[in-house]
Amino acid sequence: VALEPALLEIERALPSGSVIVDRDLCASYAGDESDVAPHLPDAVVRARSAADVAAVLRAASSHQVFVTPRAAGTGKSGGAIPVRGGIVLALDAFAGIEEIHAGDLVAVSRPGTRTGVLRDAVLAEGLFYAPDPNSLGECTLGGNVAENAGGPSTFRYGSTRDWTLGLEIVTADGTILEIGKRTHKGVTGYDLVALLCGSEGTLGVITRITSKLAPAPERVRTLAIYLGALRDVGPATMAVQATGLARAIELLDDLTLAPLRERGRVQLPVGAQALLLVDLDGEEPAIERATERLAAKLEPLRPIEILVADTAAERERLWSVRREMSRTLRSLVRHKLSEDVVVPRSRLGALLEACRTIAAGHRVHMPSYGHAGDGNLHVNFLWDDPADAPRVKLAGRAVFEEVVRLGGTLTGEHGIGASKIEHLSLEQSAEVIGLQERLKATFDPKGVLNPGKMFPARHAC
Ligand SMILES: Cc1cc2nc3c(=O)[nH]c(=O)nc-3n(C[C@H](O)[C@H](O)[C@H](O)COP(=O)(O)OP(=O)(O)OC[C@H]3O[C@@H](n4cnc5c(N)ncnc54)[C@H](O)[C@@H]3O)c2cc1C
């Protein structure tokens, strides 16, 4: 009932063709890359400016219609799925880099800009934007800020929050606000930018992003270190970390390597039980010295093979294994659930062992890969028969309990979304959850923005 007057107002304010109600067209906005069941939106509105976003939110707010922001839909926790229906606010066409300022070391972009596009554009000017989610060819800067996305180089350079200086946002009632700054330094007021980073589209819609840049490192070298035993992962990771030049330390375990080997996607050395994919960056002589020192330190572990790549093409060839991983595993079975738990680095070995025990106990296939340098493991659950779902659920819960016991956190980069709400209280007290819900109510008193995400819903339209 409320939807129709809201859509009429939106149609009047936005360029024609911006509102989509055709069910077939709406269907492509129903799901994302998570295992959360797709949900058909009642309408999709494609925004191309902050004024468009403000008009949508003003109308939705005054008629109490739910709005779910969506960018590329690569999210892995159901964040962009309109689980309560209403409008999907599509931001993928609201793209473009407005400015790259080499002197100030900042870039200003619109939210639908693809992460890889910004990285390539600044690199062409000798500059560096560090966040590098493995989906960087598809995902957007707005989606990255909303999820506080990480990536392999988070190990050395931090996640999206560490590279975001200022934002333009539109709050649930349609007010356009500038928060944060354009300078690398500044402490005026509360850090609202940090709060918006990782807010999963629940506090405001991001319409412009001022990102921090740095000079590009002189040289990057990729090493593929194939280990003969899973237990060597811990000591090998420490040895890589000790070089002081590691930008990324990524792990693929034996269960993850097996399908790659079987499908002939990559040539894997015989006997390899784990792969550490490492990026070193810095000045040329330092990288040479670090590589030699690292090889000597790894010698007692007798790695099966160490491959070295220096050119962009060779490096990409080694990295393509990692980038393809998620989709290769998904192609094996009908159902794949991927969690992204984090434990203190020193406890990664304990988590890997615990996952093996849980997998055996619940009879679930659980390959793991992830950002070993950050203790951030993507634990996957693969199954074909829908009747196995309850066992997978129990195995997942057991992993979360173990992670919290080891001093870790439920999600390193994918967010709570719709998929992990039921586990939140394992990690956070009722008081902490309550405080965040009050913050949400301050930003969005009517509960219009992205309902059914992060917290059990308290406010209903
Ligand atoms: C193969 C693959 C590899 C991946 N690797 C990584 C990885 O290495 N690291 C990582 O962190 N993630 C990774 N992801 C997950 C995903 O790519 C990230 O979460 C990404 O940040 C989502 O961006 P998106 O543009 O697709 O956003 P969407 O999926 O469209 O949306 C994600 C969330 O952001 C909100 N949102 C989107 N745009 C806005 C906006 N402008 N304002 C407010 N809220 C908004 C949505 O409501 C939703 O809650 C991977 C996904 C895939 C499929």
Side-chain angles (χ1 to χ4, degrees), residues 181 183-189 191:
K181 55 204 180 298
T183 52
H184 283 216
K185 202 172 175 187
V187 292
T188 308
D191 193 345

Side-chain angles (χ1 to χ4, degrees), residues 69 71-75 79 91 133-135 140 143-144 146-147 149-150 200-201 206 413 450:
T74 66
L91 297 147
N134 281 301
S135 50
T140 68
N144 292 169
E147 296 289 2
E200 303 188 22
I206 296 140
E413 48 187 32
N450 214 356

Side-chain angles (χ1 to χ4, degrees), residues 32-33 68-76 78-81 91 111-112 132-135 138-152 199-202 204-207 322-323 326-327 371 378 412-414 450 453:
D32 66 1
E33 290 282 340
T68 301
R70 177 191 179 92
T74 66
K76 291 192 149 190
I81 299 181
L91 297 147
D132 57 348
N134 281 301
S135 50
E138 296 164 74
C139 68
T140 68
L141 294 174
N144 292 169
V145 172
E147 296 289 2
N148 188 23
S199 61
E200 303 188 22
T202 62
V205 176
I206 296 140
T207 49
R322 171 67 181 87
R323 295 203 206 288
S326 174
R327 292 206 165 105
H371 315 293
H378 296 313
E413 48 187 32
H414 294 165
N450 214 356
K453 309 294 160 61

Side-chain angles (χ1 to χ4, degrees), residues 412-424:
E413 48 187 32
H414 294 165
I416 294 292
S419 62
K420 285 186 277 288
I421 294 175
E422 62 184 303
H423 307 297
L424 188 62

Side-chain angles (χ1 to χ4, degrees), residues 194-241:
L195 179 61
L196 261 288
C197 290
S199 61
E200 303 188 22
T202 62
L203 298 183
V205 176
I206 296 140
T207 49
R208 185 184 286 119
I209 299 146
T210 302
S211 309
K212 181 169 115 176
L213 304 176
E218 181 183 297
R219 165 110 176 253
V220 187
R221 167 172 284 177
T222 298
L223 307 175
I225 304 168
Y226 287 97
L227 298 166
L230 209 53
R231 66 173 174 279
D232 294 342
V233 166
T237 304
M238 295 300 159
V240 174
Q241 202 173 302

